[in-house]
Amino acid sequence: RPQTTTEGISTVRVKEEWNWEKYEKEGISKRKIEIAQGLKKQIDELMKQRRINLNPVFRKLYIPYQSGRKNVFLMDLSYTSWETGDVRLTFNVEKPIDLKNEGISIEHTKVKWFGDYRQWSIFFNKVVDVSPLIPILVRSYEYVTGEKLE
C-alpha cells in the first residue's frame, strides 16, 4: 500500500485593528470610552512633556503603553464595575503603592494590588487630573525597563 503524506495544516490569525469605535462595537459604554479617552489624552501629554518614550497600542479591551515589547503600564476598559463603570490604570511596580504615604492626592474610586503579578491598579469613574501619578509612571518605567529617567 502506498503511503500518503499530509502536509501540516496551519491556521492563519487575522490581526484585528482596535480603536475607540471598535471598543464601542464590542459593547464598551460611551461613558467608559469617554473616561478612557480623557485619561489617555492627559497621559500622552504628560509623557510628551517628560520625554518618556512609550508606545500606546490599542489591543482588545486594553491599551498597553510599551517600551519595546514590555508593558510599562496599561489602561484597561474590560474591568466591570456595575456601579461606576470604572477605567483601570495598572502599573507594573515592585510593591504596592500607598497614595497617602506618597503624598499623592488624586480622586479615584479604589486601588488594588495584584501581588502575584507585581501590578498596582487605580480605578477612575470620571476624567480627573492624572498628573499626580507621574512618580508612579516613572517608577513603573524604571521597574520594567531597568533604565533610570531624569
Side-chain angles (χ1 to χ4, degrees), residues 77-135:
L77 283 84
S78 68
Y79 173 81
T80 302
S81 169
W82 297 110
E83 298 84 33
T84 60
D86 291 331
V87 172
R88 176 174 73 165
L89 285 180
T90 298
F91 296 90
N92 293 301
V93 290
E94 189 174 3
K95 59 185 180 180
I97 294 165
D98 183 332
L99 293 172
K100 188 175 181 180
N101 284 343
E102 300 260 345
I104 296 173
S105 177
I106 185 167
E107 190 175 345
H108 62 287
T109 57
K110 66 180 175 180
V111 298
K112 186 169 183 178
W113 171 245
F114 300 91
D116 291 347
Y117 303 102
R118 296 282 186 241
Q119 292 181 328
W120 179 83
S121 294
I122 184 167
F123 300 80
F124 300 96
N125 67 347
K126 62 182 177 181
V127 178
V128 300
D129 177 14
V130 294
S131 61
L133 295 177
I134 289 174

Side-chain angles (χ1 to χ4, degrees), residues 47-61:
M47 289 192 321
K48 183 179 175 183
Q49 290 171 2
R50 298 284 308 243
R51 294 186 177 102
I52 299 172
N53 188 21
L54 293 178
N55 185 31
V57 181
F58 283 82
R59 299 272 193 241
K60 184 176 183 177
L61 306 181

